[in-house]
Amino acid sequence: MTRRPIADHRAQVAERLSGLARTETIPVRVALDRVTAEPVTAPYSLPLFDNSAMDGFAVRATDVTAGATLPVRGRIYAGDGALSTLAVGTAMAIMTGAPLPSGADAVIPVEQTTERDGSVLLHESTTSGAFVRSAGDDVSAGDVVVGAGVQLAPRHLGALAASGVESITVHRRPAVAVISTGSELILAGTEPVGGQVFESNSLVLQALAAKHGGQVIFIASARDDDSFAAVLTAACQDADVVITSGGVSMGEREPVRQLLQPHGWFGPIAMQPGGPQGLATWHKTPIIALPGNPVSIVVSFEILIRDTLRELAGLPAIPAGQATLARAVTSVAGKTQFLRGVTNDDGQVVPIGGPGSHLMVTAAAADLLIEIDADTTALDAGAEVTTWPMT
Ligand code: AMP
Ligand code: MG
């Protein structure tokens, strides 16, 4: 049996999804974690105007010596509009963030003053610019506030909002639909009776897709019968891509393969777990058909889908790592194996659990995949291996 190489299948996934890259303009207030598609420039210089960094007294620095007393000729509060003028030899009370009166070039903090009978005693001298926030000292109009390709953290949202930017252009998150198939599947909260299995794949796929730039808009479960076609058609209404689980291998009730084989490619790829795979188009929508075993779902997503989805959303690929094996392993010829592993205290990776791709609870204790390439059937302790984070 010829198995499609992993790299080929991954490239096919990327190819089917390549038309989905888009940008959209959205309000800054809902842009957390989104990725900018273009640089955002400052519409205004910031600060917008010279203002006080302290509650205190606006003065001309040359009027101030330690022990000087100046008449107080007004009070300026944050939000005050009309710019006042400070006469020579006078002071004005000023609050933090209030516009500096013209003529003033320094602020004396209130703690260094005593105000009495319409005058203020200044305890210390000052220098021009003290406690003044000058217009434009943060950013100049036209400068870049946030560059292109930045995943927006709360601080970036702050910079954009502070700059007066209301909306921005970001990479669109592909709309993802997830369908699990299997007449045996029931939801947690139901008491299992003969032959039934708790459904877990849709939750895993939904979480992985959302974590890597997808917007999950549809989640459904289908039985292993004709009803799958109707569910798939419904999913295709709004989804950019549909990810299915189960029903792709060589059994007698494989609704995904049976429906979609004429509309795509189904077959084994040289990967374990996750060997049986399919790719198709239904109602003009790309369908990524994964096998049903819960560990296969995780491995298939991480190895075949994750970085393509991230790229569409503008997110960087997650690099593979290198590590030393803590113990010897054996592997099958002809398929790249992804063993589940953890890092020990010496920084070496230890495979955990058996090869069975139904061992979801066992696999959940791992945080990386250890890649054993298709030509390798045995590796000694100390061998260098490629590792993939289990995200
Ligand atoms: P299949 O690929 O449909 O032959 O399924 C392979 C194995 O994975 C079977 O043991 C299924 O019961 C199990 N399985 C399939 N889909 C799910 C799912 N959504 N959640 C949990 N287990 C599943
Ligand atoms: Mg099935």
Side-chain angles (χ1 to χ4, degrees):
M1 190 191 310
T2 59
R3 296 172 177 279
R4 185 189 256 185
I6 293 177
D8 289 7
H9 194 67
R10 186 194 290 131
Q12 290 290 331
V13 171
E15 164 76 26
R16 286 215 182 234
L17 271 49
S18 60
L20 301 180
R22 308 240 195 300
T23 61
E24 62 183 343
T25 300
I26 61 166
V28 167
R29 70 190 143 73
V30 294
L32 180 65
D33 288 338
R34 302 297 296 274
V35 181
T36 49
E38 49 192 47
V40 187
T41 53
Y44 307 96
S45 296
L46 294 184
L48 292 162
F49 48 88
D50 293 345
N51 68 91
S52 178
M54 297 292 271
D55 296 320
F57 290 86
V59 295
R60 294 170 190 260
T62 50
D63 288 343
V64 180
T65 50
T69 300
L70 299 178
V72 178
R73 289 286 165 76
R75 312 191 84 79
I76 314 167
Y77 298 91
D80 281 357
L83 200 61
S84 35
T85 302
L86 183 76
V88 176
T90 68
M92 286 178 148
I94 191 166
M95 313 304 143
T96 305
L100 206 68
S102 64
D105 65 349
V107 172
I108 314 278
V110 71
E111 296 84 348
Q112 297 170 18
T113 67
T114 310
E115 189 178 13
R116 194 185 308 136
D117 301 334
S119 291
V120 61
L121 169 66
L122 306 170
H123 305 169
E124 289 165 38
S125 65
T126 188
T127 52
S128 180
F131 299 110
V132 172
R133 302 161 169 173
S134 302
D137 73 4
D138 192 11
V139 67
S140 299
D143 282 358
V144 173
V145 176
V146 176
V150 174
Q151 186 172 22
L152 296 169
R155 65 182 184 281
H156 299 119
L157 301 184
L160 292 166
S163 299
V165 175
E166 194 266 328
S167 57
I168 53 169
T169 304
V170 295
H171 292 275
R172 191 167 156 273
R173 293 186 298 170
V176 178
V178 172
I179 304 174
S180 58
T181 68
S183 297
E184 73 279 28
L185 303 175
I186 56 166
L187 293 179
T190 318
E191 192 58 34
V193 293
Q196 293 184 324
V197 170
F198 289 116
E199 201 280 310
S200 61
N201 293 347
S202 67
L203 192 53
V204 172
L205 287 171
Q206 171 196 348
L208 283 167
K211 195 163 184 177
H212 296 292
Q215 186 191 0
V216 180
I217 56 147
F218 183 101
I219 303 160
S221 210
R223 298 181 62 80
D224 292 326
D225 56 29
D226 293 347
S227 65
F228 172 67
V231 175
L232 185 64
T233 301
C236 291
Q237 292 229 317
D238 296 314
D240 294 313
V241 54
V242 181
I243 306 176
T244 65
S245 94
V248 295
S249 44
M250 304 308 285
E252 289 173 18
R253 290 187 180 167
E254 308 283 8
V256 180
R257 185 172 53 73
Q258 283 159 0
L259 180 74
L260 295 176
Q261 180 108 58
H263 306 280
W265 177 91
F266 283 76
I269 71 168
M271 176 166 101
Q272 188 177 317
Q277 294 281 341
L279 273 177
T281 302
W282 183 255
H283 288 258
K284 303 200 174 92
T285 307
I287 316 295
I288 305 173
L290 306 180
N293 273 306
V295 181
S296 305
I297 286 289
V298 174
V299 173
S300 298
F301 188 94
E302 297 280 7
I303 304 298
L304 302 172
I305 302 175
R306 184 191 70 204
D307 286 348
T308 289
L309 198 61
R310 290 179 65 86
E311 189 179 346
L312 291 170
L315 296 166
I318 297 176
Q322 287 287 125
T324 306
L325 264 183
R327 65 166 171 81
V329 297
T330 57
S331 188
V332 286
K335 297 184 218 176
T336 298
Q337 283 251 18
F338 290 95
L339 307 173
R340 278 67 71 201
V342 291
T343 305
N344 69 14
D345 291 344
D346 300 327
Q348 298 182 322
V349 291
V350 189
I352 59 170
S357 46
H358 61 295
L359 302 171
M360 187 65 225
V361 174
T362 310
D367 58 7
L368 51 82
L369 297 170
I370 304 169
E371 178 176 338
I372 314 289
D373 73 46
D375 306 327
T376 303
T377 52
L379 283 176
D380 291 333
E384 280 289 300
V385 286
T386 298
T387 61
W388 297 69
M390 281 172 89
T391 59

